[in-house]
């Protein structure tokens, strides 16, 4: 049998825990965006045929915030991962790698968002899915031009949350 003070204490403690949980700021999804962006980048790099890759891609992963919106937990933010892939020295290697990546992205449900670039040598292809953006930059073959492939993965927008170390 429970004594009267203990019986009243249990609902009181539960109420404080519930209210305390409601009063805390929601966790920022930036951590999840970082993990997802890095995974997408790795999947893209893995979709390049091995015979076209000269070295392990160099990857840079960082959170970004909108500069003009202040620096508070509500500041708009997103996660970016960029990678540079050295392709083999062979005519058309960069374009072949970009084609393989594009085919893999479309097969995985990404939508081609167009191409850009007024420069005839340096091209970019865009892809989108569920608020995410992928940009693939590549180089057309030309004597004396080093061919490589760039990958940029950008998460949907969110807020900075408790990521005090993220500033732009």
């Amino acid at each position: 049998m429970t004594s009267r003070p203990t019986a009243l204490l249990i609902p009181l403690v539960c109420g404080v825990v519930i209210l305390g949980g409601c009063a805390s700021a929601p966790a920022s999804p930036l951590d999840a965006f970082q993990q997802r962006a890095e995974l997408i980048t790795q999947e893209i790099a893995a979709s390049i045929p091995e015979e076209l890759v000269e070295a392990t891609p160099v990857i840079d992963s960082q959170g970004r915030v909108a500069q003009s919106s202040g620096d508070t937990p509500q500041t708009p933010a997103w996660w970016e991962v960029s990678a540079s892939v050295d392709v083999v020295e062979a005519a058309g290697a960069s374009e072949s790698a970009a084609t393989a990546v594009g085919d893999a992205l479309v097969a995985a449900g990404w939508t081609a968002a167009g191409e850009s670039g007024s420069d005839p040598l340096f091209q970019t292809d865009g892809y989108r899915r569920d608020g995410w953006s992928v940009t693939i930059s590549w180089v057309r073959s030309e004597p004396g031009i080093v061919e490589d492939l760039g990958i940029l993965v950008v998460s949907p927008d969110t807020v900075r949350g408790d990521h005090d170390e993220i500033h732009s």
Side-chain angles (χ1 to χ4, degrees):
M1 180 168 193
T2 306
S3 69
R4 186 89 171 131
T6 305
L8 292 175
L9 186 59
I10 292 172
L12 179 62
V13 170
C14 290
V16 169
V17 169
I18 292 169
L19 289 176
C22 293
S24 65
S28 170
L30 279 177
D31 291 327
F33 283 175
Q34 176 184 5
Q35 292 173 355
R36 182 72 182 129
E38 290 172 357
L39 179 63
I40 291 168
T41 303
Q42 291 168 358
E43 289 171 350
I44 290 170
S47 72
I48 302 169
E50 287 182 29
E51 65 271 10
L52 295 176
V53 178
E54 189 168 283
T56 303
V58 176
I59 297 176
D60 179 44
S61 180
Q62 60 187 342
R64 298 283 205 190
V65 296
Q67 291 179 338
S68 62
S69 299
D71 197 14
T72 69
Q74 292 77 32
T75 300
W78 61 94
W79 202 269
E80 289 183 1
V81 177
S82 61
S84 179
V85 180
D86 291 333
V87 296
V88 296
E89 291 185 36
S94 181
E95 185 172 4
S96 295
T99 299
V101 166
D103 291 346
L105 286 168
V106 169
W110 291 80
T111 302
E115 301 174 4
S116 65
S118 58
D119 189 313
L121 294 178
F122 302 98
Q123 301 295 308
T124 59
D125 301 328
Y127 301 88
R128 301 211 182 286
R129 182 175 78 183
D130 302 328
W132 288 80
S133 170
V134 170
T135 302
I136 305 299
S137 57
W138 52 280
V139 183
R140 291 192 191 276
S141 284
E142 183 78 20
I145 298 290
V146 174
E147 294 187 33
D148 65 353
L149 183 108
I151 302 168
L152 177 64
V153 177
V154 180
S155 77
D157 287 346
T158 185
V159 294
R160 189 196 80 196
D162 62 354
H163 289 270
D164 291 330
E165 73 282 358
I166 297 176
H167 304 280
S168 282

